[in-house]
């Protein structure tokens, strides 16, 4: 192709380039116009980050001088003078979201993770962020998270999808202070404790768990709610259709429910190798015939409180409370491998509310706002004393309703997270749509092994009859 032919194509190339630019501009404008106000602010923030990056990087010590000339610079050097050194800055990929920007930055010699972390306060100021975090994304690249608005004080709502979750055991809790999703895998977990002052989000958090997992027939729920006397009252009234068992604040009623779950545990322990051909349900996961049985004990202190007095009624209540503690202890200590999970919620998980022999074997613990440091320690362990900024004692303001603290998985420190609100209408809708999936796990097991009798009333000497030959 001759030079003249090349020049004759130049207008067409320019036209194609202009068309691409126009299409990109239209796409960007449409995206901007369709976004809500928070997303628009983040898009503008992303544009500002890209536009000012080279100048800011040089001022913040995030650039390096390269004195070695490139091959092209050496070839084009006609006057014999050394080429000027080049100022190199890390390349960025900026992605906006409603809370701020997510930035991937490539490292350079002498500009790596440590340098970015030292510059984080300056980055927060320059990008007008509430806070900035810097972490290793992959070798040679860091991930910078800048949040423009504080996710912890930005209330969010969650609408259950009504679909079976991709992984049943994963509990999606909410977002952390950098608006990153926080979840916990409850497979092989025997117990969870949720503590916090009344009205700060304990029941709402559990409500989301039920609503998200309810569409699966491989999970069944039982609830003991110490705040109410009857099933039609309180926070779980809308979910009754999806519960295979319920007990109110009456200790005798709760005792019967705990015995029901204990007999199920013992029967499952006897039958698991026969039915599942394995020792641990989680090695294959729950199923319709052997569902994950989740017992939720709300206001747990109601059922374990030590009753003082010498009259007959007080002694009866004290005996029931002591037995309730022993039964729940058995479920937490021995129920994991057969697919039983216990979630205990209370205002403060001190030893008088949840006996330590139960609380201390629950590997997952969360706490909403607490009034005292001792209550925070009871909920999260002694380490929380070393992280005062993360303590739930600083979450007592109304703006922090729905904010919890949990031990960070696989790293030091604690995670603060915002849990979303699930409306009562959405809860009732999910329960109504999935009520047909409700089944008593004991009935399911009995149908598979008629030789096991799960109808007997429990007692401390209760035993499960041997399997039929």
């Amino acid at each position: 192709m001759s030079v003249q032919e090349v020049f004759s194509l130049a207008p067409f190339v320019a036209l194609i380039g202009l068309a691409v630019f126009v299409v990109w501009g239209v796409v960007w404008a449409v995206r901007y116009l369709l976004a809500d106000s928070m997303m628009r602010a983040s898009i503008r923030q992303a544009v500002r980050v890209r536009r000012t990056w080279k100048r800011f990087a040089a001022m913040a010590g995030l650039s390096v001088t390269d004195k070695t000339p490139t091959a092209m610079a050496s070839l084009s050097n006609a006057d014999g003078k050394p080429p000027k050194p080049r100022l190199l800055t890390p390349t960025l990929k900026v992605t906006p979201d409603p809370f701020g920007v997510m930035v991937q930055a490539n490292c350079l010699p002498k500009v790596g993770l440590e340098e970015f972390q030292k510059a984080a306060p300056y980055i927060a100021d320059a990008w007008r962020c509430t806070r900035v975090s810097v972490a290793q994304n992959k070798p040679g690249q860091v991930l910078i998270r800048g949040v423009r608005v504080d996710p912890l004080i930005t209330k969010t709502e969650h609408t259950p999808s009504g679909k079976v979750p991709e992984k049943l055991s994963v509990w999606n809790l909410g977002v952390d202070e950098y608006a990153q999703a926080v979840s916990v895998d409850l497979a092989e977990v025997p117990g969870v404790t949720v503590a916090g002052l009344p009205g700060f989000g304990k029941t709402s958090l559990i409500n989301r768990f039920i609503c998200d997992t309810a569409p699966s027939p491989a999970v069944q729920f039982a609830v003991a709610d110490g705040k109410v006397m009857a099933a039609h009252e309180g926070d779980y009234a809308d979910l009754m259709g999806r519960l295979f068992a319920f007990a109110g604040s009456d200790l005798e009623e709760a005792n019967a429910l705990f015995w029901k779950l204990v007999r199920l545990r013992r029967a499952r322990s006897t039958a698991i190798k026969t039915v599942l051909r394995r020792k641990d349900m989680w090695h294959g996961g729950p199923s319709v015939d052997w569902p994950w049985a989740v017992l939720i004990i709300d206001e747990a202190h109601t059922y374990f409180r030590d009753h003082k007095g010498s009259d007959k009624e007080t002694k009866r209540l004290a005996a029931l409370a002591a037995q309730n503690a022993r039964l729940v202890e058995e479920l937490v200590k021995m129920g994991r491998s057969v697919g039983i999970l216990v979630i205990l919620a209370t205002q403060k998980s001190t030893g008088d509310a949840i006996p330590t022999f139960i609380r201390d074997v629950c590997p997952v613990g969360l706490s909403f706002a607490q009034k005292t440091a001792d209550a925070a320690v009871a909920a999260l362990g002694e380490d929380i004393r070393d992280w005062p900024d993360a303590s739930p004692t600083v979450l007592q303001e109304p703006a922090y309703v729905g904010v919890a603290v949990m031990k960070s998985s696989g790293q030091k420190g604690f995670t603060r997270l915002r849990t979303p609100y699930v409306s009562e209408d959405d809860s009732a809708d999910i329960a109504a749509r999935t009520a047909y999936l409700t089944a008593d796990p004991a009935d399911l097991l009995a149908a598979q092994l008629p030789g096991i009798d799960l109808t007997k009333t429990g007692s401390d000497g209760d035993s499960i009859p041997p399997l039929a030959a």
Side-chain angles (χ1 to χ4, degrees):
M1 182 178 292
S2 65
V3 175
Q4 288 182 340
E5 290 175 326
V6 171
F7 276 105
S8 67
L9 293 175
F12 296 101
V13 174
L15 186 61
I16 292 173
L18 179 61
V20 171
F21 179 79
V22 169
V23 170
W24 177 86
V26 170
V27 171
W28 189 93
V30 170
R31 180 189 177 196
Y32 182 81
L33 293 172
L34 293 178
D36 59 23
S37 59
M38 287 185 63
M39 189 64 184
R40 288 182 183 180
S42 294
I43 292 173
R44 294 193 299 270
Q45 182 184 28
V47 171
R48 187 171 59 253
V49 168
R50 297 188 191 100
R51 179 171 52 83
T52 62
W53 172 243
K54 286 191 175 182
R55 184 178 181 185
F56 168 75
M59 292 189 293
L62 297 176
S63 61
V64 293
T65 301
D66 184 3
K67 297 181 179 180
T68 304
T70 64
M72 184 62 68
S74 299
L75 290 174
S76 61
N77 184 17
D79 56 8
K81 295 181 180 180
K84 291 182 179 181
R86 296 179 300 146
L87 186 66
L88 304 181
T89 57
T91 57
L92 299 184
K93 180 181 179 182
V94 186
T95 305
D97 63 32
F99 290 96
V101 290
M102 187 76 73
V103 179
Q104 296 177 15
N106 292 326
C107 297
L108 295 173
K110 295 186 178 180
V111 180
L113 175 63
E114 185 176 351
E115 286 69 33
F116 275 103
Q117 288 176 333
K118 288 180 179 178
Y122 312 127
I123 293 174
D125 291 338
W127 294 358
R128 302 173 191 174
C129 291
T130 301
R131 62 176 69 93
V132 164
S133 71
V134 181
Q136 189 84 45
N137 191 32
K138 61 182 181 181
Q141 188 179 87
V142 297
L143 187 65
I144 307 171
R145 174 55 170 164
V147 289
R148 189 186 67 264
V149 293
D150 189 348
L152 296 183
I153 61 174
T154 304
K155 294 185 178 181
T156 56
E157 292 190 8
H158 172 68
T159 302
S161 67
K163 298 179 181 178
V164 176
E166 185 175 337
K167 189 172 182 182
L168 184 62
S169 62
V170 172
W171 187 358
N172 295 309
L173 300 171
V175 296
D176 66 11
E177 55 196 305
Y178 296 99
Q180 300 301 291
V182 179
S183 62
V184 59
D185 193 343
L186 297 178
E188 302 284 6
V189 171
V192 176
T193 60
V194 183
L197 296 175
F200 270 81
K202 300 187 298 296
T203 303
S204 179
L205 175 68
I206 296 171
N207 186 32
R208 178 186 180 176
F209 173 68
I210 297 175
C211 289
D212 283 350
T213 54
S216 173
V219 60
Q220 301 295 338
F221 308 96
V223 170
D225 187 358
K227 300 189 299 293
V228 299
M229 295 292 293
H232 66 274
E233 303 171 350
D235 299 308
Y236 299 94
D238 294 328
L239 297 168
M240 281 305 302
R242 193 58 180 90
L243 309 180
F244 74 85
F246 180 89
S249 59
D250 182 78
L251 293 193
E252 194 167 352
E253 183 182 4
N255 184 262
L257 173 59
F258 298 154
W259 262 117
K260 179 181 180 68
L261 270 295
V262 165
R263 289 198 302 273
L264 173 67
R265 188 211 66 77
R266 294 180 182 179
R268 280 188 168 187
S269 294
T270 302
I272 188 168
K273 290 185 69 176
T274 302
V275 177
L276 299 183
R277 300 289 192 269
R278 56 183 184 269
K279 294 181 179 179
D280 191 329
M281 183 208 74
W282 289 108
H283 291 172
S287 63
V288 176
D289 294 328
W290 192 294
W292 190 20
V294 179
L295 171 61
I296 297 162
I297 307 177
D298 206 340
E299 299 296 333
H301 53 274
T302 302
Y303 307 109
F304 308 134
R305 182 170 67 88
D306 186 15
H307 294 263
K308 301 291 185 180
S310 57
D311 61 282
K312 184 176 180 181
E313 179 61 15
T314 301
K315 289 182 178 180
R316 184 183 75 86
L317 294 175
L320 283 171
Q323 189 177 71
N324 287 342
R326 291 197 300 272
L327 294 174
V328 174
E329 178 189 15
E330 179 177 328
L331 291 174
V332 174
K333 288 185 175 179
M334 303 180 186
R336 173 189 56 80
S337 62
V338 296
I340 295 176
L341 168 69
V342 181
I343 300 176
L344 302 110
T346 187
Q347 295 177 25
K348 56 178 184 177
S349 52
T350 49
D352 57 336
I354 300 178
T356 55
F357 52 79
I358 296 174
R359 184 194 69 197
D360 293 347
V361 292
C362 293
V364 177
L366 299 94
S367 180
F368 291 85
Q370 295 286 1
K371 282 189 175 182
T372 66
D374 289 342
V377 169
L380 300 169
E382 285 288 341
D383 287 351
I384 193 62
R385 295 188 189 275
D386 299 328
W387 301 84
D389 291 342
S391 175
T393 56
V394 303
L395 301 177
Q396 298 180 51
E397 297 296 326
Y400 291 114
V401 171
V403 177
V405 181
M406 69 176 293
K407 179 71 175 176
S408 299
S409 177
Q411 59 186 15
K412 292 182 179 180
F414 293 81
T415 298
R416 297 189 297 170
L417 59 111
R418 156 67 62 178
T419 62
Y421 172 72
V422 180
S423 72
E424 295 179 359
D425 290 341
D426 285 336
S427 298
D429 179 60
I430 287 292
R433 288 162 53 192
T434 61
Y436 73 99
L437 299 174
T438 305
D440 190 326
D443 294 339
L444 296 173
L445 183 60
Q448 297 175 80
L449 295 164
I452 292 183
D453 181 6
L454 294 173
T455 63
K456 289 187 176 182
T457 301
S459 64
D460 280 335
D462 189 34
S463 61
I464 297 300
L467 292 174

